[in-house]
Amino acid sequence: MSDDLRELPLRERKKLRTRRALAETALRLFTERGYDATTLDDLCDAVEVSKRTFFRNYRSKEDVALAADSDLWSAYLDRVAVARLDGPLLEALRAALNATLEDMDPDWERRFLATRELSESVPVLQSHSLGYCQDTTRAMVETLAGRSGAGVDDTCLRLTVEIFVASWRTACLRWTAQGGQGGRDGLTDLIERTFALIPDALTCAA
Amino acid sequence: MSDDLRELPLRERKKLRTRRALAETALRLFTERGYDATTLDDLCDAVEVSKRTFFRNYRSKEDVALAADSDLWSAYLDRVAVARLDGPLLEALRAALNATLEDMDPDWERRFLATRELSESVPVLQSHSLGYCQDTTRAMVETLAGRSGAGVDDTCLRLTVEIFVASWRTACLRWTAQGGQGGRDGLTDLIERTFALIPDALTCAA
DNA sequence: GGCGACAGTGCCACTGAGTGGCATTAGCTG
DNA sequence: CAGCTAATGCCACTCAGTGGCACTGTCGCC
């Protein structure tokens, strides 16, 4: 994931730099001044880019705020697409998630925590973030269904993926509430414990 | 739920009528012309209301499109708040959902199906709709946690509710894909079958 | 090394969602 | 009928997001 490759054409390098500066500065401004209180003009001013350029890099104000989320999901999808995935699906998906988390850029963790905190406190970001989860779910179901042929019940497959994502979000929520305690390992740990709770969750009494 | 009560003060009646006209017309226009292609000015023109009045009734363009969703969730929350809920929580939540569905206004079913179809095809509505689910989840966890004291593990409780919502959405997705086949009973049926699939979903192989 | 092609950018004008303020209307009350 | 107040209409404004066009820095080619 650490693609600091200076071996790109100069144009690509510049563009990538701009992309990163936008995401980085956006996260800082949104956190410092608040999401609504920060206009895109403010952001573009700070990065010294025109608004038009912003929209060539990100589709919306929400998108740039959730860049760290997006990075994770796209890395995860890539991995699932090529991974072997043997044994119980739910377990395999979790293993792939752990592997993806370990492979993320060292700086990603900090950005991700800030993004999660922001997302918790801004409803529109929350919704948008859930939209990402949904898109990822859909893509995963397609990938997995295509791979195992028509042998697997579609509803069952979808349900598995939905439960996977629900567990991830539950773990993630707690991690964020703890201020990202334990860093990446802490998160992995919470994921493991949350998944272990699933059987209890199905049977626990009111 | 069928609150066609003509026994309200005249002012309230008018306001309610406007609210309903907005939701009804919005659903029709969004379906006929497309969500993006319909501006709020178009809608307000059709209902003969000022845009200012629209925003006194609904918080956003997405809100009015998802009014049927909102109706369901708010009715469901009301029920969960007063229901008895004995036995396994997941089962109790499902029973409460069935009961809520049965109690919905006769016309609600049609509106809901149209809303679901719209939501499937418009990303921003999809996200917003997921936001509703999330808000409902949060509210339910609070209600349930408050009721059973500190005896229940918070993470486990949340996980249960998340799995409940995930199952509902999976059932709902299929119902919508089938064009609402079987109406309300068909939906209830799908819900039952989807919930029955949960154990399989946890163990099914890749 | 100069030169054309072209991706990426800046600038400008525009649409449409959403808000605040204030005057006006219409329903309620005595 | 007169007075109160909630609801509405109207107007002006901010800001997200888009389309068009001119410009410039980078790359490839001779």
Side-chain angles (χ1 to χ4, degrees), chain A residues 90 159 162-167 169-170 194-195 197-203, chain B residues 90 93 137 155-170 194-195 198-199 201-202:
Chain A
L90 194 62
L159 199 49
E162 287 270 357
I163 290 175
F164 165 73
V165 174
S167 306
R169 293 201 298 108
T170 301
T194 305
F195 273 77
L197 273 178
I198 296 179
D200 291 348
L202 298 186
T203 56
Chain B
L90 193 61
L93 292 177
T137 300
T155 303
C156 187
L157 179 56
R158 176 162 203 107
L159 199 49
T160 305
V161 178
E162 287 270 358
I163 290 175
F164 165 73
V165 174
S167 306
W168 150 255
R169 293 201 298 108
T170 301
T194 305
F195 274 77
I198 296 178
L202 297 186

Side-chain angles (χ1 to χ4, degrees), chain A residues 197 200 204-206, chain B residues 141 144-157:
Chain A
L197 273 178
D200 291 348
C204 77
Chain B
V141 170
L144 296 171
R147 187 182 310 189
S148 59
V152 182
D153 179 3
D154 194 52
T155 303
C156 187
L157 179 56

Side-chain angles (χ1 to χ4, degrees), chain B residues 174-196:
Chain B
R174 168 143 291 198
W175 184 69
T176 307
Q178 293 175 353
Q181 205 178 42
R184 207 167 307 204
D185 294 338
L187 180 53
T188 306
D189 212 53
L190 273 172
I191 291 173
E192 194 169 339
R193 273 189 281 156
T194 305
F195 274 77

Side-chain angles (χ1 to χ4, degrees), chain B residues 95-162:
Chain B
L97 180 57
N98 280 346
T100 305
L101 284 173
E102 271 180 37
D103 275 8
M104 294 304 283
D105 194 83
D107 191 46
W108 171 83
E109 187 180 311
R110 178 189 58 80
R111 294 194 298 128
F112 184 64
L113 180 58
T115 301
R116 289 326 313 153
E117 281 168 349
L118 206 53
S119 174
E120 290 301 325
S121 62
V122 182
V124 67
L125 288 183
Q126 177 112 343
S127 295
H128 206 260
S129 163
L130 291 165
Y132 276 151
C133 290
Q134 182 73 350
D135 294 344
T136 308
T137 300
R138 199 179 297 262
M140 282 174 63
V141 170
E142 274 170 31
T143 301
L144 296 171
R147 187 182 310 189
S148 59
V152 182
D153 179 3
D154 194 52
T155 303
C156 187
L157 179 56
R158 176 162 203 107
L159 199 49
T160 305
V161 178
E162 287 270 358

